[in-house]
């Protein structure tokens, strides 16, 4: 921004405040002059310092977000032009975050080209030696810092260079996991043969194929061992020796962990099948909203990939939640109105949680967010199936408070 326009910008921002706040700034012209005298040199975000200064001058609490920058005229906005060394313009706009998003691939490619490490594809075993966690170089007079990582591409792994340590960590976990599944995890056939005849009978007609369920349990076992390694060591493996140590754990322990998970998963799928059959038989219009809700709930709990999605340690809980749906159906007759009331109560909280999670950036799901997700499951047991039992006692009020604490 041109320094000579600063006074005009400050006045325009103050005029953008809601009328209820502007009333406290009368006489407005005098207040603007007093704010400008006290504002001081630029340091940090202007809206933050402006809000503080208005509070000092007029004793009015103003949140930085209360300033409506959308109403500023074009000549008072920051106009950004991104060009390369040859003068070619790659993007233009007023929203820096949006420009960064649009140019993310270009920026990554530029950093990768300047980094002293060669990107590769088609990696199926750890043949990359010791990966540095960061590489630096000088490119055309600029210091370039890049972060090597392994990226899961399905049937192999790629060695890539990314622009932030956060992207590096997120990709690296998936890359290490894929290498362990390709080179270290037990075979599908060795785990599938652990299913008993009764188990195979129970899986007949299931929505999840046996091979898919077995692969899911193997992946969940590898996830568990990878989590244990990171908790023990404090970081993902970047050195070859570190990966080989982790691979040794997987070779030694994954088959047993996967077999145990498979036993629990088969029981869950079998129970879910029984519930689905019961849901299909209930056709009365009076209970249709409850049936639709129960179907959605069951689909969220038991679906292809549910073991690795929920975690091996949550299988017993998932089985209990399925029993909770069955209990709900047992007591639905003659209580449709009460069930609908409880359903609306929990759905309001679930919708609030889902909106919050959908708005989170990639990699921003914290342990607190996961805990609230499971607390909502416990609330369903509390409301619909108390005799089944909850892991923790909860209530709609308690869950609402936790959501507020999250910022949802």
């Amino acid at each position: 921004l041109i320094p000579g326009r600063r006074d005009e910008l400050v006045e325009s921002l103050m005029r953008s405040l809601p009328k209820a706040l502007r009333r406290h700034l009368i006489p407005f012209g005098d207040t603007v002059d007093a704010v400008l005298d006290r504002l001081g040199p630029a340091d940090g975000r202007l809206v933050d310092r402006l809000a503080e200064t208005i509070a000092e001058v007029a004793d009015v609490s103003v949140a930085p977000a209360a300033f409506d920058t959308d109403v500023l005229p074009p000549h008072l906005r920051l106009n950004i032009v991104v060009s390369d060394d040859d003068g070619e313009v790659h993007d233009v706009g007023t929203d820096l975050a949006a420009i960064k998003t649009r140019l993310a691939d270009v920026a990554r490619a530029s950093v990768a080209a300047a980094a002293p490490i060669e990107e590769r594809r088609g990696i199926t075993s750890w043949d990359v030696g010791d990966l540095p966690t960061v590489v630096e170089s000088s490119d055309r007079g600029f210091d370039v810092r890049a972060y090597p990582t392994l990226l899961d591409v399905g049937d192999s792994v790629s060695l890539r260079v990314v622009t932030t340590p956060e992207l590096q960590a997120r990709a690296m976990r998936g890359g290490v996991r894929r290498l362990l599944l390709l080179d270290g995890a037990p075979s599908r056939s060795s785990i599938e043969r652990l299913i008993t005849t009764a188990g195979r009978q129970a899986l007949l007609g299931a929505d999840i194929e046996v091979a898919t369920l077995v692969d899911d349990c193997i992946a969940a076992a590898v996830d568990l061992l990878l989590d244990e390694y990171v908790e023990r060591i404090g970081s993902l493996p970047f050195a070859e020796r570190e990966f080989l140590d982790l691979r040794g754990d997987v070779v030694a322990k994954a088959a047993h962990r996967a077999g145990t998970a498979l036993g629990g998963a088969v029981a869950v799928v079998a129970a879910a099948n029984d519930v689905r059959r019961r849901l299909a038989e209930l056709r009365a219009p009076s209970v249709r909203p409850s049936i639709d809700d129960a179907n959605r709930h069951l689909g969220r709990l038991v679906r292809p990939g549910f073991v690795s999605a929920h975690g091996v340690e949550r299988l017993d809980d998932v089985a209990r939640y399925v029993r909770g749906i069955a209990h709900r159906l047992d007591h639905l007759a003659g209580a449709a109105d009460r069930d609908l009331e409880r359903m609306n109560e929990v759905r309001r909280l679930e919708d609030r949680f889902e909106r919050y999670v959908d708005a989170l950036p990639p990699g921003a799901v914290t342990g607190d967010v996961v805990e609230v997700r499971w607390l909502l499951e416990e609330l369903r047991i509390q409301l619909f199936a108390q005799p089944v039992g909850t892991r923790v006692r909860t209530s709609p009020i308690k869950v609402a408070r936790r959501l507020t604490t999250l910022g949802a």
Side-chain angles (χ1 to χ4, degrees), residues 82-400:
V82 181
S83 62
D84 58 24
D85 291 347
D86 297 325
E88 181 182 353
V89 174
H90 290 269
D91 208 334
V92 177
T94 59
D95 188 334
L96 179 59
I99 290 175
K100 284 183 174 180
T101 299
R102 291 195 295 268
L103 295 181
D105 289 343
V106 175
R108 196 210 68 79
S110 179
V111 168
I117 190 168
E118 184 178 354
E119 295 190 320
R120 289 175 49 201
R121 297 180 179 179
I123 301 169
T124 57
S125 63
W126 191 287
D127 60 1
V128 295
D130 293 344
L131 278 182
T133 56
V134 61
V135 292
E136 296 178 310
S137 69
S138 294
D139 181 61
R140 297 184 293 273
F142 293 95
D143 291 332
V144 176
R145 176 172 288 186
Y147 303 88
T149 192
L150 297 175
L151 180 67
D152 178 12
V153 292
D155 58 352
S156 64
V157 167
S158 293
L159 174 58
R160 300 287 293 272
V161 175
V162 295
T163 55
T164 69
E166 292 78 19
L167 284 173
Q168 177 192 50
R170 199 158 68 240
M172 188 68 178
R173 191 189 191 286
V176 170
R177 177 183 190 261
R178 177 57 60 189
L179 284 183
L180 292 171
L181 289 170
L182 292 169
D183 180 30
S187 66
R188 178 193 295 167
S189 60
S190 69
I191 303 303
E192 185 175 337
R193 66 169 174 255
L194 300 176
I195 304 177
T196 64
T197 302
R200 290 185 181 278
Q201 191 70 27
L203 292 175
L204 290 176
D207 291 344
I208 304 174
E209 294 182 0
V210 172
T212 300
L213 186 63
V214 171
D215 288 348
D216 187 21
C217 291
I218 293 171
V222 169
D223 284 337
L224 188 58
L225 291 165
L226 181 53
D227 289 341
E228 290 175 359
Y229 175 89
V230 171
E231 185 176 352
R232 184 172 69 251
I233 303 301
S235 66
L236 291 163
F238 276 80
E240 183 174 11
R241 181 71 262 166
E242 294 169 348
F243 177 80
L244 292 176
D245 288 344
L246 172 57
R247 181 182 179 277
D249 281 348
V250 171
V251 170
K253 302 174 183 177
H256 175 71
R257 301 285 183 92
T260 302
L262 183 60
V266 167
V268 168
V269 172
N273 285 346
D274 289 340
V275 172
R276 283 195 177 93
R277 281 192 287 270
R278 293 182 59 189
L279 287 167
E281 294 168 356
L282 293 170
R283 297 187 178 89
S286 61
V287 296
R288 175 48 54 191
S290 296
I291 298 307
D292 289 343
D293 176 69
N295 268 312
R296 282 191 296 268
H297 185 203
L298 188 62
R300 186 169 70 230
L301 290 172
V302 185
R303 62 186 191 277
F306 78 95
V307 184
S308 51
H310 301 324
V312 173
E313 69 282 1
R314 283 286 181 179
L315 275 176
D316 288 344
D317 289 325
V318 174
R320 181 164 51 86
Y321 301 146
V322 173
R323 291 199 302 275
I325 298 174
H327 181 92
R328 179 185 181 185
L329 299 182
D330 289 340
H331 298 80
L332 189 55
D337 290 342
R338 184 177 60 186
D339 187 275
L340 186 62
E341 181 180 340
R342 292 169 176 171
M343 181 192 78
N344 289 333
E345 192 169 26
V346 72
R347 284 290 299 276
R348 281 193 295 270
L349 295 169
E350 289 174 342
D351 290 346
R352 183 176 164 188
F353 177 73
E354 288 170 8
R355 287 194 299 271
Y356 171 76
V357 172
D358 288 344
L360 289 175
V365 176
T366 64
D368 288 339
V369 175
V370 174
E371 188 177 340
V372 172
R373 181 258 185 273
W374 292 113
L375 195 61
L376 284 162
E377 294 293 345
E378 297 296 335
L379 179 60
R380 278 187 171 268
I381 295 293
Q382 189 76 32
L383 293 177
F384 296 112
Q386 283 190 28
V388 172
T390 58
R391 178 182 280 204
V392 293
R393 288 191 62 81
T394 189
S395 68
I397 292 175
K398 288 181 180 179
V399 174

Side-chain angles (χ1 to χ4, degrees), residues 56-75:
E56 295 168 2
V57 169
D59 195 27
V60 177
S61 178
V62 176
F67 298 106
D68 186 2
T69 57
D70 290 339
V71 303
L72 293 176
H75 70 281

